[in-house]
Amino acid sequence: MAFTAVVRITGAGRLADFRERLRWLLVRDPDAEDYTEHHAAGTLEYRFTPKKGIPFPVLTEVSGDFPELRVEAEWNHDGIAGRAIIENGRLVDEQTAGSGEPGVAITVGEEGRLDLAFICEHEGDGWIGYAASADRHTFFRYRDGALKLVEPDEADEALEEVAFRLVDEWLWYDEEAAPTERAHYSQYGYPVRGANLKSSKLALLRRRSEPYSTLDAHAASLREALIAQWLKQA
């Protein structure tokens, strides 16, 4: 399915200057993708059909220079709809919704360190999922309050499919070439570790005081078990 996105900038402020600054940065970004402009009085609107993702690092950077303006992005990617709002260079709201969408939780530490990223989805009466920190990763199953860790070479197709969803959207690894990701990390002054947040996500979350989560209430005990029995056992 297609990946489509619309970004709107509104507010009583310097819209024309915002437009020029954004254009200047996108022209110089080697990974910038094509977009079209559909502006109206009091609103800038950009439409994307991205292959790599919405240019959140650039939007966040420009937003920091124009705190009076509101940046709102809406997208649909393979049936998953999402919305993010950026103000003064900070993510102030993000929502995603989709049929059967897995729950995701992300915690970022100092210097962009990936403290914990995990994804889980229902399988029968329990959960299956994948978790990663900056220096290790695991698959898991959770049922009746019991967590079972699964080694990567023992993961079945269902576990691998769930993991790919997290990795495709959120993560990149030091074993990858990833020149653009490395360049963004260098600009932030952050070291590259074994597993890392993609720069588009890091740009949104690095100034956020609370961890990001789309987990429902039923996954709280799973998260606690994963932290106690895996993350803190390093």
Side-chain angles (χ1 to χ4, degrees), residues 26 29 32 34 49 73 115-116 125 130 140 177-178 180 192 197 215 230:
L26 288 174
D29 185 345
D34 292 339
T49 53
D115 285 346
L116 176 64
D125 296 330
Y130 171 79
F140 61 83
T180 300
V192 171
L197 275 183
L215 300 176
W230 178 71

Side-chain angles (χ1 to χ4, degrees), residues 7-10 15-16 18-19 38-40 42-46:
V7 176
R8 298 183 182 89
I9 296 89
T10 58
L15 287 169
F18 186 106
R19 179 185 181 188
H38 306 267
H39 308 315
T43 303
L44 302 178
E45 181 175 304
Y46 300 86

Side-chain angles (χ1 to χ4, degrees), residues 17-148:
D17 292 340
F18 186 106
R19 179 185 181 188
E20 289 305 313
R21 175 63 173 163
L22 181 62
R23 178 183 295 169
W24 190 89
L25 288 173
L26 288 174
V27 165
R28 287 157 179 77
D29 185 345
D31 289 320
E33 301 184 69
D34 292 339
Y35 61 90
T36 57
E37 301 185 30
H38 306 267
H39 308 315
T43 303
L44 302 178
E45 181 175 304
Y46 300 86
R47 299 178 187 175
F48 299 83
T49 53
K51 294 181 175 63
K52 300 178 182 178
I54 302 169
F56 280 122
V58 173
L59 291 168
T60 303
E61 179 178 344
V62 180
S63 172
D65 295 331
F66 299 87
E68 74 276 15
L69 299 178
R70 172 188 175 103
V71 179
E72 182 174 351
E74 296 180 336
W75 64 89
N76 191 298
H77 189 189
D78 292 340
I80 303 298
R83 174 175 173 266
I85 297 174
I86 303 168
E87 294 179 350
N88 195 19
R90 296 178 61 250
L91 176 71
V92 297
D93 185 42
E94 182 174 20
Q95 302 172 359
T96 57
S99 176
E101 179 192 7
V104 172
I106 309 290
T107 303
V108 182
E110 295 293 327
E111 295 188 316
R113 178 185 175 85
L114 180 62
D115 285 346
L116 176 64
F118 80 90
I119 184 171
C120 59
E121 69 174 21
H122 285 289
E123 183 184 65
D125 296 330
W127 301 80
I128 62 173
Y130 171 79
S133 67
D135 48 20
R136 60 200 184 108
H137 65 127
T138 188
F139 297 85
F140 61 83
R141 297 181 183 277
Y142 184 77
R143 185 185 300 273
D144 298 328
L147 177 70
K148 178 183 178 182

Side-chain angles (χ1 to χ4, degrees), residues 196-210:
N196 309 274
L197 275 183
K198 290 186 176 181
S199 57
S200 60
K201 298 296 187 180
L202 184 60
L204 292 175
L205 299 186
R206 70 193 186 103
R207 299 182 185 181
R208 186 185 179 111
S209 59
E210 298 294 329

